[in-house]
Amino acid sequence: DAGITQSPRYKITETGRQVTLMCHQTWSHSYMFWYRQDLGHGLRLIYYSAAADITDKGEVPDGYVVSRSKTENFPLTLESATRSQTSVYFCASSDGRTTNEKLFFGSGTQLSVL
Amino acid sequence: GQQLNQSPQSMFIQEGEDVSMNCTSSSIFNTWLWYKQEPGEGPVLLIALYKAGELTSNGRLTAQFGITRKDSFLNISASIPSDVGIYFCAGEYGGATNKLIFGTGTLLAVQP
């Protein structure tokens, strides 16, 4: 049972480069999310998606782009990476059927922008 | 934007001790959640709270949804080494499902 997987696990890139972080879930959950985790800030929502072809901004969307052409995939792209985007990125999914909307998280991608 | 203040930031305790941590907000939430994150992994849901005043247990963990709907606490009784991790509170906001705001986390270290 694969669940939710993120790739790559670790990524080092340079300022100005485009980077795409992948997220794949096998549960057919309708909702998917991208969070970034930084010391002193906890988890902050970047973008989320309620279904295929439906995406919306979260708390910190600037500098990021998402797409959701298929229910199971929700890639996050940094179009021109900056040092401030060095962070640990978590993808999550939820079936959206209960009010608490339990989130299932991937294991994270640690991104360093040099 | 809405903020969740979580305290303490870190705790270093002996095995067997009880632990208490809490979250407060200036805003009202409809749902409070508590997650645990172990090193190198994503957060995992521990307890979900849906009603003001609600007290819910999950093994040695107990959490309560504050009466004012602006706070919540998590207690861990008789801590063990595998309790080590970062504990996050999260509140559901905005009237839309699935939109959570997370606290800054409490790092728990347990000395055997």
Side-chain angles (χ1 to χ4, degrees), chain B residues 70-85:
Chain B
K70 293 183 179 181
D71 63 326
S72 177
F73 72 75
L74 174 71
N75 287 342
I76 305 173
S77 62
S79 60
I80 59 178
S82 62
D83 289 333
V84 163

Side-chain angles (χ1 to χ4, degrees), chain A residues 29 93-96 98-104, chain B residues 33 35 45 48 50 98:
Chain A
H29 282 172
S93 71
S94 169
D95 63 12
T98 55
T99 55
N100 68 303
E101 310 305 355
K102 295 176 185 177
L103 297 181
F104 295 88
Chain B
L33 305 167
Y35 285 83
L45 182 67
Y50 305 104
N98 290 287

Side-chain angles (χ1 to χ4, degrees), chain A residues 3-53:
Chain A
I4 182 165
T5 55
Q6 292 183 235
S7 62
R9 194 68 195 267
Y10 304 94
K11 177 72 178 179
I12 299 173
T13 191
E14 294 178 336
T15 302
R17 292 199 182 247
Q18 184 179 81
V19 178
T20 296
L21 310 184
M22 305 302 293
C23 180
H24 176 79
Q25 51 107 353
T26 59
W27 294 307
S28 298
H29 282 172
S30 54
Y31 286 85
M32 295 187 75
F33 308 80
W34 275 105
Y35 287 88
R36 60 178 289 174
Q37 183 176 29
D38 304 286
L39 202 62
H41 290 281
L43 289 152
R44 291 181 291 175
L45 182 64
I46 304 171
Y47 268 96
Y48 68 103
S49 169
D53 297 321

Side-chain angles (χ1 to χ4, degrees), chain A residues 73-86:
Chain A
N73 296 323
F74 191 39
L76 175 74
T77 298
L78 289 66
E79 293 191 302
S80 178
T82 65
R83 289 198 178 90
S84 65
Q85 291 178 310
T86 292

